[in-house]
Amino acid sequence: MTSDVILLGHGSGGSLSHQLLDELIVPLLCDLAPGDQNDAAVLPPQNGRLAFTTDSYVVEPVIFPGGNIGDLAINGTVNDLAMAGARPLAISVGLILEEGLPVAELKTILGAMKEAAQKARVAIVTGDTKVVPRGKADKIFINTSGVGVIEHDLDIRGSGAQVGDKILINGTLGDHGMAVLARREGLALETDLCSDSASLNHLVDELISVCGADLHVLRDPTRGGVATTLKEIARQSQVEITLDELALPVRSEVSGVCSILGLDPLFVANEGKLLAIVAPQQAEAALAAMQMHREGSDAAIIGEVTAVADGKVRMRTSIGGVRSIEMLAGEQLPRIC
Amino acid sequence: MTSDVILLGHGSGGSLSHQLLDELIVPLLCDLAPGDQNDAAVLPPQNGRLAFTTDSYVVEPVIFPGGNIGDLAINGTVNDLAMAGARPLAISVGLILEEGLPVAELKTILGAMKEAAQKARVAIVTGDTKVVPRGKADKIFINTSGVGVIEHDLDIRGSGAQVGDKILINGTLGDHGMAVLARREGLALETDLCSDSASLNHLVDELISVCGADLHVLRDPTRGGVATTLKEIARQSQVEITLDELALPVRSEVSGVCSILGLDPLFVANEGKLLAIVAPQQAEAALAAMQMHREGSDAAIIGEVTAVADGKVRMRTSIGGVRSIEMLAGEQLPRIC
């Protein structure tokens, strides 16, 4: 690279674009030979239904305790595929770069993408890079889309929750959102907070093999947190979900910062968590499988599906009452992912 | 919608996000029932190789003569799939919205996306919406990714050009880039210019059925124009390509504005054009097929593959000379797509 910052010409499609691609992006992300760069990547035929998903990432700051926008973008899309019960096959990377972005920062981010893709065992196969003038974006926005294959006959979806099912989560609530917020606001407590950004496809493989058709719903509680995600599922399945406040795993540093700022961890974004809704006879086995897994040591059963209803979520509180849980209203934490 | 502009809360993942999705985005783009909204779309099993591609769109202005960022985003990704010889199956839409974007403008753009998808006969199946604060993006950026299926055994790729092959284009050069530039700069000549934004998958179906294995390369000359795209192909195929300047179809209004501004239509972006490189015995049949098609009335044979070489493009000029063609250097027209 002859420049140490991104120039408008890097988005021209011409020789500077090719230099950026050939010298930086392609070697860092996917090692595709220049002769193999075509308008679309070609994947071999697959046996099974296909899953397809997309997410754009605009997190600020782009580097935060526990990760950066790069691994976040890979993990988020891998997880969306995994939540459909799919094995992630291929990821696309769409970069929107602000003129003036330091090349060193881009390298850090691309390096984190490659590492996250390797951990998840998914290939980055196609991409696109645009550059906008200074002040027309904020450093870097990343879109990742993903294709996966569903190699079983299970029907894992938001409308699958049934009365009696147990609600499981694979660990603590709110780590990602509070780590990003603390870094952005320069809070002194920041050192104790760390994003949970992680890919969950290997954990999902475990859950599928343990629970089979008793695994009814999988969803990752990102924006809006566990509360909003469960509200979505309750509506899709037309049920009432009841949470136990005392069962919710929350790190003390997260609950501490949340209470200082007047936030509720139940509404804070996670990036390495999944909610699994499973038939009661498999709940303990699913919990044990989670707890054996690297991404599930703090797993817990946090509630159950209590009735047929028009999409209700309520919580048995620590002082013995019951309160209704609604979706996140307004914007609690902008640009958390 | 209770607000007539986009608010930060529309990107929260919470109740405002759901309102935006349920009342505007989903009905306009895909009619998916709220109960069917999951982390990933599920597609039926496919017979054949898969094509997968992504593009982000940052064009400014977002509405221009002949189209807007919405149809551009659909057509661009449909075309990238078609250039691999694939039938487009499914498109994802990732929106990055700037706080304050008028909802009316978003409606216009989403409406154009739906219409373009219907014309191309491709389904919009999954999406994501983020909102960034005022001044951190420029109205709207769109990522579209696409999945297609390759239902034949042809190997259409940039490395397939062979000595003797003819180079075809389905119409005039530079219409899109000059239409966007003229609108952006408020040029008086603008009324005569119109983007060529169009989906080309149906035209590709025709070419495949006419040429079969004699169809060697397909590529859409977007950023960097015909010159840069042919240079890419010449490098991938390790050949020399020779163009005939007199054969290049260019509208008089495009060449007029180009000469006033010192631009060369050969380097200006197109959004409804494809370059087809075909064996000589099929060139006339391919040309006739193009000319019969709605997107090919100004089609022409513009050159040929003249030698084995290390990626050269040259042009026989109108005055009888030969000049070397290089890739676009620097940034000629920023944010044209």
Side-chain angles (χ1 to χ4, degrees), chain A residues 15 39 43 50 53 56 328, chain B residues 15 39 43 50 53 56 130 328:
Chain A
S15 55
D39 286 328
L43 312 176
L50 301 173
T53 190
S56 296
L328 177 63
Chain B
S15 55
D39 285 329
L43 311 176
L50 301 173
T53 190
S56 296
K130 294 292 191 303
L328 177 64

Side-chain angles (χ1 to χ4, degrees), chain A residues 58-82:
Chain A
V58 298
V59 61
E60 193 270 321
V62 296
I63 297 173
F64 46 79
N68 66 47
I69 190 172
D71 56 78
L72 191 68
I74 297 294
N75 291 335
T77 288
V78 163
N79 291 348
D80 281 346
L81 293 173

Side-chain angles (χ1 to χ4, degrees), chain A residues 6-250:
Chain A
I6 293 297
L7 309 172
L8 269 183
H10 286 124
S12 66
S15 55
L16 270 174
S17 293
H18 280 81
Q19 189 194 40
L20 178 67
L21 272 178
D22 295 344
E23 296 180 15
L24 194 76
I25 295 180
V26 171
L28 277 173
L29 285 186
C30 58
D31 300 318
L32 197 67
D36 290 335
Q37 291 172 26
N38 290 294
D39 286 328
V42 175
L43 312 176
Q46 299 297 324
N47 277 321
R49 291 169 292 164
L50 301 173
F52 181 32
T53 190
T54 193
D55 256 320
S56 296
Y57 295 84
V58 298
V59 61
E60 193 270 321
V62 296
I63 297 173
F64 46 79
N68 66 47
I69 190 172
D71 56 78
L72 191 68
I74 297 294
N75 291 335
T77 288
V78 163
N79 291 348
D80 281 346
L81 293 173
M83 298 308 127
R87 178 170 63 83
L89 282 178
I91 298 262
S92 67
V93 174
L95 302 173
I96 297 176
L97 309 179
E98 185 188 10
E99 179 189 17
L101 176 73
V103 168
E105 206 159 329
L106 179 59
K107 274 188 188 171
T108 300
I109 291 166
L110 296 175
M113 297 188 89
K114 173 84 164 270
E115 196 183 322
Q118 284 172 334
K119 269 193 201 166
R121 284 181 226 139
V122 64
I124 296 171
V125 299
T126 188
D128 174 60
T129 304
K130 295 291 191 305
V131 181
V132 296
R134 209 180 285 266
K136 299 296 185 185
D138 196 8
K139 286 193 164 188
I140 179 171
F141 299 149
I142 302 180
N143 177 283
T144 46
S145 300
V147 176
V149 59
I150 302 175
E151 294 167 316
H152 51 71
D153 296 326
L154 306 179
D155 200 15
I156 301 167
R157 56 166 72 197
S159 55
Q162 296 172 22
V163 175
D165 283 355
K166 300 291 184 183
I167 319 287
L168 286 80
I169 191 163
N170 63 316
T172 52
L173 276 67
D175 301 61
H176 175 74
M178 295 319 296
V180 171
L181 184 72
R183 170 57 58 92
R184 188 193 301 162
E185 306 299 333
L187 297 186
L189 292 155
E190 181 197 323
T191 46
D192 297 329
L193 298 167
C194 187
S195 169
D196 59 347
S197 174
S199 56
L200 302 173
N201 51 321
H202 305 314
L203 175 57
V204 168
D205 291 344
E206 280 294 306
L207 291 175
I208 288 174
S209 91
V210 167
C211 300
D214 286 329
L215 179 58
H216 295 159
V217 184
L218 288 171
R219 189 159 293 175
D220 52 343
T222 55
R223 280 185 293 177
V226 167
T228 303
T229 303
L230 286 177
K231 188 81 184 173
E232 286 171 11
I233 295 169
R235 281 189 188 169
Q236 284 183 270
S237 297
Q238 293 285 293
V239 295
E240 175 195 76
I241 288 173
T242 303
L243 292 175
D244 283 309
E245 187 171 21
L246 287 172
L248 296 174
V250 183

Side-chain angles (χ1 to χ4, degrees), chain B residues 60-329:
Chain B
E60 193 272 319
V62 296
I63 297 173
F64 46 80
N68 66 47
I69 190 172
D71 56 79
L72 190 69
I74 297 295
N75 292 335
T77 287
V78 163
N79 292 347
D80 281 345
L81 293 173
M83 298 307 127
R87 178 169 64 82
L89 283 178
I91 298 261
S92 66
V93 174
L95 302 173
I96 298 175
L97 308 179
E98 184 188 9
E99 181 190 15
L101 176 72
V103 167
E105 207 159 328
L106 180 59
K107 274 188 188 172
T108 300
I109 291 165
L110 296 174
M113 298 189 87
K114 172 84 165 269
E115 197 183 322
Q118 284 173 333
K119 270 194 201 166
R121 283 180 227 142
V122 64
I124 296 171
V125 299
T126 188
D128 174 60
T129 304
K130 294 292 191 303
V131 181
V132 296
R134 209 180 284 266
K136 298 297 184 184
D138 196 8
K139 286 191 162 186
I140 179 171
F141 300 148
I142 302 181
N143 177 284
T144 46
S145 300
V147 176
V149 58
I150 302 175
E151 293 167 316
H152 51 72
D153 296 325
L154 306 179
D155 201 15
I156 300 168
R157 56 164 74 199
S159 55
Q162 296 173 21
V163 176
D165 284 355
K166 300 291 186 185
I167 319 286
L168 287 81
I169 191 162
N170 63 315
T172 51
L173 276 66
D175 301 61
H176 174 74
M178 296 319 295
V180 171
L181 185 71
R183 169 57 58 93
R184 190 192 302 163
E185 306 299 334
L187 297 187
L189 292 156
E190 180 197 324
T191 46
D192 297 329
L193 298 167
C194 187
S195 169
D196 59 347
S197 174
S199 57
L200 302 173
N201 52 320
H202 305 314
L203 174 57
V204 167
D205 290 344
E206 280 295 307
L207 291 174
I208 288 174
S209 92
V210 167
C211 301
D214 286 329
L215 179 58
H216 295 158
V217 183
L218 288 171
R219 190 159 293 176
D220 53 342
T222 56
R223 280 185 293 176
V226 167
T228 303
T229 303
L230 286 177
K231 189 80 185 172
E232 286 172 10
I233 295 169
R235 282 189 186 168
Q236 284 183 269
S237 296
Q238 292 286 292
V239 295
E240 175 195 77
I241 288 173
T242 304
L243 292 175
D244 283 310
E245 188 171 19
L246 287 172
L248 296 174
V250 183
R251 282 187 209 290
S252 59
E253 50 268 40
V254 169
S255 61
V257 178
C258 273
S259 54
I260 291 168
L261 297 176
L263 299 172
D264 184 340
L266 207 55
F267 292 89
V268 177
N270 311 277
E271 291 290 346
K273 294 298 159 4
L274 61 79
L275 291 160
I277 303 190
V278 303
Q281 65 272 18
Q282 288 295 341
E284 289 299 331
L287 180 64
M290 278 187 180
Q291 287 170 337
M292 289 287 291
H293 197 274
R294 189 183 60 186
E295 305 303 341
S297 51
D298 296 316
I301 298 177
I302 60 171
E304 60 196 318
V305 181
T306 37
V308 170
D310 194 17
K312 281 193 181 59
V313 180
R314 43 181 227 151
M315 186 158 72
R316 293 187 202 105
T317 66
S318 53
I319 54 164
V322 170
R323 71 175 171 96
S324 176
I325 304 287
E326 299 302 326
M327 282 195 181
L328 177 64

